[in-house]
Amino acid sequence: MCRRYLLLICVPTLATLLITYYASDEVPPPRDIDSVATSTAINVTNIRGARATPTLQLVVVISRHGKRGPYTTFPTSPYRAENTTIWPYGPRELTSRGRMQMYKLGLKIRSLYNGFLDELYYGEDFVAKSTAFERTIQSAQLFLAGLFPPRDFQVWNKTLLWQPIPVFHSSVDYQEMANVSQTKWCPKFRVAKEKAIAEFQQEYRSDIIEFFKLVNPYTRMDQLETLDTTVSISLAIFVMWESFYTMVEEGLSLPSWAEKFYPQPLTFLAEKLLRVAAIGSDTQIRYLEGLFFKELVDLMRSKVEGTLIPDRKMFYYCGHDFTLLGFQGILGLADGQSGLLSTRTGSALIFELHKDLQTDLFYVQVLHIDGTSSDMEPSHVEIPGCNSPCDLRRLLNLTEKYYNITDWKKECQIIED
C-alpha cells in the first residue's frame, strides 16, 4: 500500500521534472519545422537582409584576416615588430582593431543575408574554413561571433553571448607561394613568379634605386643586403611597406619624414610587387588559387544539380591578401593599374549563386567589401567578358583554364626534356 502510494506521487513528479528539464534551454531541441518556427517567432528581428532574395541559392564569402602586427620593420622604426607595448599580441598576429574589424564583418554579412541564412547556427546550413595561421583562425572565429550570436537554446551562458562554432582547415589555398620567401611546393609557379618579379624590377629599377637612396638615411635599410638580387630588392620593398602599412592600419603616427615616401611612391611599388608575385601570369594564377576556385565551382555545380550534401546555404573562407588577389586574377581583373579591388585587411569577395525563377537558369553575382571602409557596404564586381550578373555557364567557360586541374602536385613539376 505504501509503495503504491509512493508510486502515485513519484511518477507524476518525475514526469513534471522531465518535462521541465527538456523544456529548458539547457538541452537543444531537435531541429524540425516547429522548433525553428518557434525560435524564429521569438528571436528574429523581422528585418530581412538586403541580399536575401527569392532567387538566391548559395553564398560563398572569402575574406582576408583582420588588421595585424608587422612581420618585420625597418631598423629605425618607432614601432618595431618586437615591441610588445605597441604589438601586445606579437608580430603578424591580430591586433585589437583587427579583432573588432572581423567581428564587424560578421555583423555585416548577417545584415545582408538575414532571412536567407537562419539566425540559429546549424552545421547543415553553414560551414567555415581557414588557412592554418593563428591570425586567420582567430579572424574566422571573430567573424562567426558577429554572424551567429547565440539565441534561444543556443545561449549556453547568459553572461557570455558567444557560442563555439567549428572552423575547419582549408587545404586548397596556396597563397603562401606568393610570399617573398621561396617555396618548392610548385616549381612551375616559382619559375613564373621569379620571371614576373625580374621583369618588374627591370622596368622600375631606376625608381626603386632612387627611392632607397632617399629613404636609407632615415631608415638605415642599407643594413640589408645590397640591392643587386631579386630577393633582396623584393625584401627591402616588403620591409618598408610592412612598416608603414601596419602603422597606418593601427592608427599610429608616422614619423615626420615619412610623408616624403608614404603613401607614394612606396604604395605603388609595393602593390605592383605583390601583384606580379601573385598573379603576374596565367601560370601563377592557375597554381595559386586554381584548386580553391575549383572547390567553389564544384559547390555551385552541386547546388545546381541538387547533389550538395548537406545542402548548405553559405560557406565562409578566411585567407590572406594573396587569396583575394588570386581570385581576382581568375575573374580577369589582373590587368591594369585600376582593375584590382582592395585586398586590405578585412576585405572580402562574395559569390552569390542565383536562379532565375522564370527560366530556371543560374547566374552569379560577385560582390566586394573593402575592409577599411567605415560601413563595409558591398559593391558589385563587373567581370570582364560577362554581363552583370554573369551567366553561370559563361563564367565557368571564362575561368576554366584556371580550375581544370586534375593533379595539382603532378602538374606543378617541371619535366626535363
Side-chain angles (χ1 to χ4, degrees), residues 354-376:
H354 292 261
K355 180 180 181 180
D356 189 309
L357 302 181
Q358 295 182 335
T359 65
D360 288 339
L361 296 177
F362 288 84
Y363 57 92
V364 176
Q365 178 67 65
V366 181
L367 305 173
H368 172 257
I369 290 179
D370 184 344
T372 63
S373 63
S374 58
D375 58 4
M376 288 190 171

mmCIF file of all heavy atoms in Angstrom, residues 354-376:
data_model
loop_
_atom_site.group_PDB
_atom_site.id
_atom_site.type_symbol
_atom_site.label_atom_id
_atom_site.label_comp_id
_atom_site.label_asym_id
_atom_site.label_seq_id
_atom_site.Cartn_x
_atom_site.Cartn_y
_atom_site.Cartn_z
ATOM 1 N N HIS A 354 22.496 32.583 -58.021
ATOM 2 C CA HIS A 354 21.065 32.862 -58.127
ATOM 3 C C HIS A 354 20.419 31.958 -59.175
ATOM 4 O O HIS A 354 21.090 31.467 -60.084
ATOM 5 C CB HIS A 354 20.823 34.317 -58.533
ATOM 6 C CG HIS A 354 21.197 35.315 -57.486
ATOM 7 N ND1 HIS A 354 20.276 35.886 -56.641
ATOM 8 C CD2 HIS A 354 22.405 35.846 -57.141
ATOM 9 C CE1 HIS A 354 20.889 36.737 -55.834
ATOM 10 N NE2 HIS A 354 22.182 36.736 -56.114
ATOM 11 N N LYS A 355 19.115 31.797 -59.046
ATOM 12 C CA LYS A 355 18.334 31.034 -60.021
ATOM 13 C C LYS A 355 17.202 31.907 -60.538
ATOM 14 O O LYS A 355 16.415 32.440 -59.753
ATOM 15 C CB LYS A 355 17.759 29.768 -59.377
ATOM 16 C CG LYS A 355 16.922 28.923 -60.330
ATOM 17 C CD LYS A 355 16.392 27.674 -59.614
ATOM 18 C CE LYS A 355 15.564 26.809 -60.555
ATOM 19 N NZ LYS A 355 15.049 25.597 -59.858
ATOM 20 N N ASP A 356 17.169 32.080 -61.831
ATOM 21 C CA ASP A 356 16.062 32.815 -62.451
ATOM 22 C C ASP A 356 14.800 31.977 -62.303
ATOM 23 O O ASP A 356 14.712 30.862 -62.835
ATOM 24 C CB ASP A 356 16.368 33.085 -63.926
ATOM 25 C CG ASP A 356 15.360 34.026 -64.562
ATOM 26 O OD1 ASP A 356 14.139 33.775 -64.442
ATOM 27 O OD2 ASP A 356 15.787 35.013 -65.197
ATOM 28 N N LEU A 357 13.819 32.485 -61.590
ATOM 29 C CA LEU A 357 12.623 31.707 -61.268
ATOM 30 C C LEU A 357 11.714 31.486 -62.461
ATOM 31 O O LEU A 357 10.820 30.631 -62.418
ATOM 32 C CB LEU A 357 11.851 32.407 -60.144
ATOM 33 C CG LEU A 357 12.641 32.621 -58.843
ATOM 34 C CD1 LEU A 357 11.770 33.305 -57.798
ATOM 35 C CD2 LEU A 357 13.199 31.309 -58.315
ATOM 36 N N GLN A 358 11.928 32.221 -63.536
ATOM 37 C CA GLN A 358 11.121 32.044 -64.742
ATOM 38 C C GLN A 358 11.785 31.103 -65.743
ATOM 39 O O GLN A 358 11.121 30.278 -66.363
ATOM 40 C CB GLN A 358 10.848 33.396 -65.397
ATOM 41 C CG GLN A 358 9.986 34.322 -64.544
ATOM 42 C CD GLN A 358 9.685 35.636 -65.237
ATOM 43 O OE1 GLN A 358 10.439 36.069 -66.107
ATOM 44 N NE2 GLN A 358 8.582 36.259 -64.854
ATOM 45 N N THR A 359 13.100 31.234 -65.893
ATOM 46 C CA THR A 359 13.800 30.414 -66.889
ATOM 47 C C THR A 359 14.519 29.218 -66.289
ATOM 48 O O THR A 359 14.962 28.328 -67.023
ATOM 49 C CB THR A 359 14.837 31.270 -67.633
ATOM 50 O OG1 THR A 359 15.846 31.699 -66.704
ATOM 51 C CG2 THR A 359 14.178 32.483 -68.270
ATOM 52 N N ASP A 360 14.666 29.189 -64.958
ATOM 53 C CA ASP A 360 15.413 28.146 -64.249
ATOM 54 C C ASP A 360 16.903 28.159 -64.582
ATOM 55 O O ASP A 360 17.615 27.186 -64.302
ATOM 56 C CB ASP A 360 14.834 26.752 -64.535
ATOM 57 C CG ASP A 360 13.500 26.532 -63.841
ATOM 58 O OD1 ASP A 360 13.216 27.261 -62.855
ATOM 59 O OD2 ASP A 360 12.746 25.649 -64.276
ATOM 60 N N LEU A 361 17.396 29.240 -65.177
ATOM 61 C CA LEU A 361 18.817 29.374 -65.454
ATOM 62 C C LEU A 361 19.520 29.963 -64.239
ATOM 63 O O LEU A 361 18.933 30.732 -63.473
ATOM 64 C CB LEU A 361 19.045 30.259 -66.678
ATOM 65 C CG LEU A 361 18.495 29.721 -68.012
ATOM 66 C CD1 LEU A 361 18.732 30.734 -69.127
ATOM 67 C CD2 LEU A 361 19.140 28.374 -68.361
ATOM 68 N N PHE A 362 20.799 29.626 -64.088
ATOM 69 C CA PHE A 362 21.566 30.080 -62.929
ATOM 70 C C PHE A 362 22.562 31.158 -63.338
ATOM 71 O O PHE A 362 23.115 31.127 -64.446
ATOM 72 C CB PHE A 362 22.304 28.911 -62.281
ATOM 73 C CG PHE A 362 21.391 27.964 -61.545
ATOM 74 C CD1 PHE A 362 20.724 26.955 -62.230
ATOM 75 C CD2 PHE A 362 21.192 28.083 -60.175
ATOM 76 C CE1 PHE A 362 19.873 26.080 -61.561
ATOM 77 C CE2 PHE A 362 20.342 27.224 -59.502
ATOM 78 C CZ PHE A 362 19.684 26.218 -60.192
ATOM 79 N N TYR A 363 22.759 32.092 -62.461
ATOM 80 C CA TYR A 363 23.725 33.155 -62.707
ATOM 81 C C TYR A 363 24.444 33.508 -61.408
ATOM 82 O O TYR A 363 24.010 33.154 -60.311
ATOM 83 C CB TYR A 363 23.040 34.389 -63.305
ATOM 84 C CG TYR A 363 21.922 34.978 -62.482
ATOM 85 C CD1 TYR A 363 22.159 35.993 -61.554
ATOM 86 C CD2 TYR A 363 20.603 34.536 -62.628
ATOM 87 C CE1 TYR A 363 21.131 36.546 -60.806
ATOM 88 C CE2 TYR A 363 19.569 35.080 -61.874
ATOM 89 C CZ TYR A 363 19.843 36.093 -60.977
ATOM 90 O OH TYR A 363 18.825 36.636 -60.228
ATOM 91 N N VAL A 364 25.579 34.206 -61.565
ATOM 92 C CA VAL A 364 26.439 34.518 -60.435
ATOM 93 C C VAL A 364 26.608 36.024 -60.305
ATOM 94 O O VAL A 364 26.834 36.713 -61.307
ATOM 95 C CB VAL A 364 27.834 33.863 -60.599
ATOM 96 C CG1 VAL A 364 28.764 34.271 -59.461
ATOM 97 C CG2 VAL A 364 27.702 32.346 -60.661
ATOM 98 N N GLN A 365 26.469 36.509 -59.102
ATOM 99 C CA GLN A 365 26.743 37.911 -58.798
ATOM 100 C C GLN A 365 27.923 37.952 -57.831
ATOM 101 O O GLN A 365 27.904 37.283 -56.793
ATOM 102 C CB GLN A 365 25.532 38.586 -58.162
ATOM 103 C CG GLN A 365 25.775 40.037 -57.776
ATOM 104 C CD GLN A 365 25.968 40.931 -58.988
ATOM 105 O OE1 GLN A 365 25.060 41.124 -59.786
ATOM 106 N NE2 GLN A 365 27.172 41.455 -59.141
ATOM 107 N N VAL A 366 28.946 38.715 -58.187
ATOM 108 C CA VAL A 366 30.119 38.853 -57.327
ATOM 109 C C VAL A 366 30.101 40.223 -56.665
ATOM 110 O O VAL A 366 29.872 41.243 -57.336
ATOM 111 C CB VAL A 366 31.431 38.664 -58.127
ATOM 112 C CG1 VAL A 366 32.637 38.784 -57.195
ATOM 113 C CG2 VAL A 366 31.435 37.318 -58.832
ATOM 114 N N LEU A 367 30.323 40.243 -55.360
ATOM 115 C CA LEU A 367 30.357 41.491 -54.589
ATOM 116 C C LEU A 367 31.726 41.640 -53.929
ATOM 117 O O LEU A 367 32.442 40.651 -53.718
ATOM 118 C CB LEU A 367 29.272 41.487 -53.513
ATOM 119 C CG LEU A 367 27.830 41.239 -53.963
ATOM 120 C CD1 LEU A 367 26.921 41.101 -52.749
ATOM 121 C CD2 LEU A 367 27.343 42.348 -54.864
ATOM 122 N N HIS A 368 32.061 42.867 -53.606
ATOM 123 C CA HIS A 368 33.332 43.151 -52.938
ATOM 124 C C HIS A 368 33.092 44.062 -51.746
ATOM 125 O O HIS A 368 32.332 45.025 -51.829
ATOM 126 C CB HIS A 368 34.309 43.825 -53.906
ATOM 127 C CG HIS A 368 35.561 44.307 -53.242
ATOM 128 N ND1 HIS A 368 35.785 45.640 -52.933
ATOM 129 C CD2 HIS A 368 36.661 43.638 -52.813
ATOM 130 C CE1 HIS A 368 36.974 45.759 -52.359
ATOM 131 N NE2 HIS A 368 37.525 44.578 -52.273
ATOM 132 N N ILE A 369 33.730 43.740 -50.631
ATOM 133 C CA ILE A 369 33.683 44.583 -49.440
ATOM 134 C C ILE A 369 35.097 45.054 -49.133
ATOM 135 O O ILE A 369 36.013 44.231 -48.993
ATOM 136 C CB ILE A 369 33.105 43.821 -48.228
ATOM 137 C CG1 ILE A 369 31.621 43.555 -48.420
ATOM 138 C CG2 ILE A 369 33.333 44.612 -46.937
ATOM 139 C CD1 ILE A 369 30.964 42.776 -47.282
ATOM 140 N N ASP A 370 35.272 46.352 -49.048
ATOM 141 C CA ASP A 370 36.548 46.939 -48.653
ATOM 142 C C ASP A 370 36.596 46.963 -47.132
ATOM 143 O O ASP A 370 35.833 47.679 -46.487
ATOM 144 C CB ASP A 370 36.679 48.350 -49.227
ATOM 145 C CG ASP A 370 38.032 48.990 -48.932
ATOM 146 O OD1 ASP A 370 38.747 48.490 -48.040
ATOM 147 O OD2 ASP A 370 38.368 49.998 -49.579
ATOM 148 N N GLY A 371 37.495 46.176 -46.550
ATOM 149 C CA GLY A 371 37.549 46.043 -45.102
ATOM 150 C C GLY A 371 37.930 47.313 -44.364
ATOM 151 O O GLY A 371 37.716 47.415 -43.155
ATOM 152 N N THR A 372 38.496 48.281 -45.084
ATOM 153 C CA THR A 372 38.886 49.531 -44.434
ATOM 154 C C THR A 372 37.783 50.585 -44.495
ATOM 155 O O THR A 372 37.935 51.659 -43.918
ATOM 156 C CB THR A 372 40.153 50.101 -45.081
ATOM 157 O OG1 THR A 372 39.884 50.422 -46.461
ATOM 158 C CG2 THR A 372 41.287 49.095 -45.039
ATOM 159 N N SER A 373 36.690 50.297 -45.195
ATOM 160 C CA SER A 373 35.598 51.262 -45.289
ATOM 161 C C SER A 373 34.834 51.323 -43.973
ATOM 162 O O SER A 373 34.785 50.347 -43.223
ATOM 163 C CB SER A 373 34.644 50.894 -46.432
ATOM 164 O OG SER A 373 34.033 49.640 -46.194
ATOM 165 N N SER A 374 34.228 52.446 -43.709
ATOM 166 C CA SER A 374 33.552 52.636 -42.425
ATOM 167 C C SER A 374 32.273 51.810 -42.316
ATOM 168 O O SER A 374 31.934 51.327 -41.238
ATOM 169 C CB SER A 374 33.224 54.121 -42.217
ATOM 170 O OG SER A 374 32.410 54.603 -43.277
ATOM 171 N N ASP A 375 31.571 51.621 -43.440
ATOM 172 C CA ASP A 375 30.286 50.906 -43.387
ATOM 173 C C ASP A 375 30.366 49.489 -43.946
ATOM 174 O O ASP A 375 29.406 48.726 -43.849
ATOM 175 C CB ASP A 375 29.213 51.690 -44.142
ATOM 176 C CG ASP A 375 29.578 51.930 -45.606
ATOM 177 O OD1 ASP A 375 30.621 51.429 -46.064
ATOM 178 O OD2 ASP A 375 28.811 52.635 -46.291
ATOM 179 N N MET A 376 31.492 49.124 -44.548
ATOM 180 C CA MET A 376 31.665 47.800 -45.147
ATOM 181 C C MET A 376 30.528 47.449 -46.106
ATOM 182 O O MET A 376 30.142 46.283 -46.238
ATOM 183 C CB MET A 376 31.787 46.715 -44.061
ATOM 184 C CG MET A 376 33.086 46.728 -43.309
ATOM 185 S SD MET A 376 33.289 45.283 -42.250
ATOM 186 C CE MET A 376 34.992 45.455 -41.733
#
